[in-house]
Amino acid sequence: MQFMASKQPENSLLGPESDSQRTLYPYVTGTSVVALKYKDGILMAADMGGSYGSTLRYKSVQRMKPIGKHSLLGASGEISDFQEILSYLDELILYDNMWDDGNSLGPKEVHNYLTRVMYNRRNKFNPLWNSLVLGGVKNGQKYLGTVSMIGVNFEDNHVATGFGNHLARPILRQEWHENLSFEDGVRLLEKCMRVLLYRDRSAVNKLQIAKITEDGVTISQPYSLKTYWEFSAFENPAQGAI
Amino acid sequence: MFRNQYDTDVTTWSPAGRLFQVEYAMEAVKQGSAAIGLRSKTHVVLGCVNKANSELSSHQKKIFKVDDHIGVAIAGLTADGRVLSRYMRNECINYSFTYESPLPVGRLVVQLADKAQVLNLILAVKLLFVCDRTSQYNTGNGLCHKKDNLKRITQYGLCIVDVIAHVVSVTELNVIVKSRGYLHIILVCTQRSWKRPYGVGLLVAGLDESGAHLYYNCPSGNYFEYQAFAIGSRSQAAKTYLERRFENFTDSSRDDLVKDAITAIRETLQGETLKSSICTIAVVGVGEPFHVLDQGTVQQIIDTFETAAEQEDPATEPDAATGQEAAAEQGTAADQGGSTDEGAAPMDI
């Protein structure tokens, strides 16, 4: 109770809104999403973990979802906020389809819409605690972009969120090139995901790879990466001890 | 069309199922000076006749750029056209901001049509007075703008008295109330309609992913897509010309399309010399944002086919001219015949 009372003065600057709920910290979070452009479209990878603080609590969380006919959205951060974003986009796509006029929202439009949503929420001090990756193909044009919880957005040939920015992107900068084949793209993504699995404590060894092309979205079944632990230092850990 | 007892109000149906005010609004379009539009697969051209009131004045602006990829030509009450252009520009810019993508023409046109249709239904809300929750109210006649009246009323604890007409919806009313700091409203719906239909026809020309489009928006709230069309006074002559040639438009080059537009405008002038000072041409196309051609360019194009016409057999010219006039007369007669015919209302095309 005392803890609660000490919080009150800080929030009261906001006036009558201080009693309403707003996101202060994330609770159930997903870790990195990594994506790259390849010959036929976009490849995206994310593991299926939902961490509750430092506990790897949920292991079957789908963090990538198709949006409309032309886009694929991957999210890291608060899972409940991701679900709310999916609900906004559902409504957006529904109204788009209701026009029934042959026009449809492509990945660029969805990306900009999400940027507006994220930025507006940030301005109200009630952010959607997510970093989003939006990829898609429309009329032969490939598109890959990202939006953060504060509304920072940009497009690139390869993007990642969270730890992926630090561990995966350097690999992609070295090894990505135009017109990767599907197999090369998957191999490159798996290389990035493996590094993340070794080094990111909130990663779980159960991932999905999603592909989006002009023909549509395919999300693979969950699978695990092979890892290697037979280092001599691990076999005989006490060797160097005094 | 003759006056009848069902035509005072836009919200009154006639026994034959017609809304006369809307049909009268469409007459206003026919009185405006001509505007034409035609399209190919990749370009759309708009043209209009500019009649200035006198040699001293400038002419009315009838072609508006709505966005880089959309433009509109109007015929009828140009003031209404200006207001609608502002609305269209607003819609385009809002869409661009949210989606960073140009608004598809078909959607803009539907929004315009919905706007026209709603106006035919609106009942005005006459706000009689505003008071705060604790005090009593006085109905009065509601029109107390004068300061002494206000003073008198505030003695009784009223906040303010105001009349807000032209309100479109309850949400708009709430906005007005909040912005002026009123606490409580009491309002009475009148049975009188305060708003009239827009008296302007719009030729919307635009380009989007699915290609080049030309739409015509009526005051009735209907819209149609066209390969080529003409509206306004003496537009029948232009329509006849366009009907003869429209099958070739899809594959026309941009320059041929512009020539056809200028020729169609010449048809509506019916004998007057065609000069670049009395017509305006605008183009939008692939790789070409919407813009109005400057007078010099237009005059050059006019000059090219005036010289070509001179080289043609002069004997054919008078025949062609009389033929067109006859067709034009038949056209206008058909228009009048159609409107007195009780069976088909003009807007039910």
Side-chain angles (χ1 to χ4, degrees), chain A residues 92 96 101 103 109 112 138, chain B residues 98-101 104 107 209:
Chain A
L92 181 75
D96 190 43
D101 65 350
N103 290 306
E109 287 83 18
N112 274 285
K138 191 174 179 207
Chain B
T98 312
Y99 302 103
E100 249 204 56
S101 205
R107 294 195 184 182
E209 270 181 359

Side-chain angles (χ1 to χ4, degrees), chain A residues 23-65:
Chain A
T23 308
L24 295 168
Y25 340 90
Y27 285 96
V28 179
T29 56
T31 183
S32 336
V33 178
V34 190
L36 47 81
K37 282 188 191 167
Y38 80 108
K39 186 165 54 101
D40 305 324
I42 311 289
L43 279 170
M44 198 184 292
D47 68 23
M48 300 191 76
S51 308
Y52 187 61
S54 52
T55 309
L56 303 177
R57 185 160 170 193
Y58 302 104
K59 301 202 184 155
S60 295
V61 180
Q62 272 238 16
R63 298 197 288 116
M64 296 184 293
K65 293 278 184 185

Side-chain angles (χ1 to χ4, degrees), chain B residues 228-280:
Chain B
F229 200 49
I231 55 176
S233 69
R234 298 188 288 204
S235 57
Q236 188 52 50
K239 268 191 256 187
T240 316
Y241 172 79
L242 294 170
E243 273 168 30
R244 279 205 307 266
R245 303 282 305 265
F246 79 93
E247 268 149 2
N248 303 326
F249 289 162
T250 320
D251 298 313
S252 254
S253 73
R254 175 212 185 267
D255 295 326
D256 284 340
L257 216 60
V258 174
K259 281 206 193 99
D260 276 321
I262 297 179
T263 318
I265 291 180
R266 193 176 60 176
E267 302 297 315
T268 66
L269 293 172
Q270 300 213 331
E272 268 180 67
T273 33
L274 177 65
K275 295 185 294 239
S276 63
S277 55
I278 54 169
C279 70
T280 310

